[in-house]
Amino acid sequence: MLCVIATLLLSCNKKKDSDEATEKNDTIRIEKQLSKADSIVNRAIEAHGGSLYDTADYSFVFRGNKYRFINNGDHFEYSSEVQKGDSLVKDVMTQDQFKRSINSTLQTLNKEDAGKYSETLNSVIYFATLPHKLHDASVNTKFVEETTIKGKKYDVISATFGQDGGGKDFNDEYQYWINKDNHKIDYLAYNYQVNEGGVRFRAAFNTRVIAGVTFQDYVNYEAPVKTALKDLPQLYEQGKLREVSHILTENVVNNRK
């Protein structure tokens, strides 16, 4: 009997060791399958807040209007409140639908208007929570190069969007300059096609961490249409970009205190 028990225990231990080895090997294979761009983006997401984004609930003020994002795993709710004269316009967007109410009265929207309003709301949250949304399935990232800006070293990542899930501006192109020391986004740039097109370059400032999540403001610069995104840092250092605005995420509040 003792021999049988010993044999069973030995067999169980071998199986456990085998299962653990298999799990470890699977993890290693998954890590090896990540592209260089994916690895850099994952480190950036971790540096800016990581898994805290998955259950984040923050509100903030942008251009005088109040915004809020609530994340719960794969589910989210984005909202904005805009005062227009005597009317309070509230937009609410989830992964399933978009709603607009004016003074608490639900509005009937056609598909075009619903799409336009939801794109605006999503854009504000997108920039406020960078680089969290860079892991979305519709985002295609690629490593561009390593470079130096003002004496600091950066990994440069480009991002484009698939038509399915990429919104009406899926043709836009983005680049992110991620600090090699702290893995945070110090600069970003993008081009857009609407309204005859344009090119923007943003430099981060006022970086602060609120309940573990990083928020940043940006100085927004303009470059001539069709300027290559990779050329923007050099133009920035040479003072050849025109400052057009400040992108300020103000009065940030963690609602999960």
Side-chain angles (χ1 to χ4, degrees), residues 45-46 49-56 132 213:
I45 292 173
E46 186 64 30
S51 60
L52 294 177
Y53 283 116
D54 297 336
T55 56
H132 172 57
V213 174

Side-chain angles (χ1 to χ4, degrees), residues 203-208 215-219 246-250:
F205 73 99
N206 190 28
T207 300
R208 65 271 194 208
F215 290 86
Q216 302 187 132
D217 298 327
Y218 296 89
V219 181
H246 283 191
I247 308 299
L248 306 179
T249 304
E250 302 177 295

Side-chain angles (χ1 to χ4, degrees), residues 80-122:
S80 66
E81 294 182 359
V82 179
Q83 191 72 43
K84 295 183 177 181
D86 296 331
S87 300
L88 178 64
V89 180
K90 182 172 183 177
D91 291 341
V92 178
M93 175 183 175
T94 68
Q95 64 279 357
D96 300 317
Q97 61 182 346
F98 175 86
K99 294 181 180 180
R100 165 168 286 198
S101 60
I102 299 178
N103 293 335
S104 300
T105 301
L106 187 64
Q107 305 296 296
T108 300
L109 303 174
N110 59 41
K111 185 176 181 179
E112 181 180 356
D113 285 342
K116 179 174 62 176
Y117 300 147
S118 62
E119 285 286 343
T120 299
L121 175 55
N122 186 67

Side-chain angles (χ1 to χ4, degrees), residues 1-15:
M1 179 63 74
L2 290 175
C3 289
V4 171
I5 293 174
T7 301
L8 289 173
L9 289 174
L10 180 61
S11 176
C12 289
N13 287 334
K14 286 183 177 179
K15 185 178 186 303

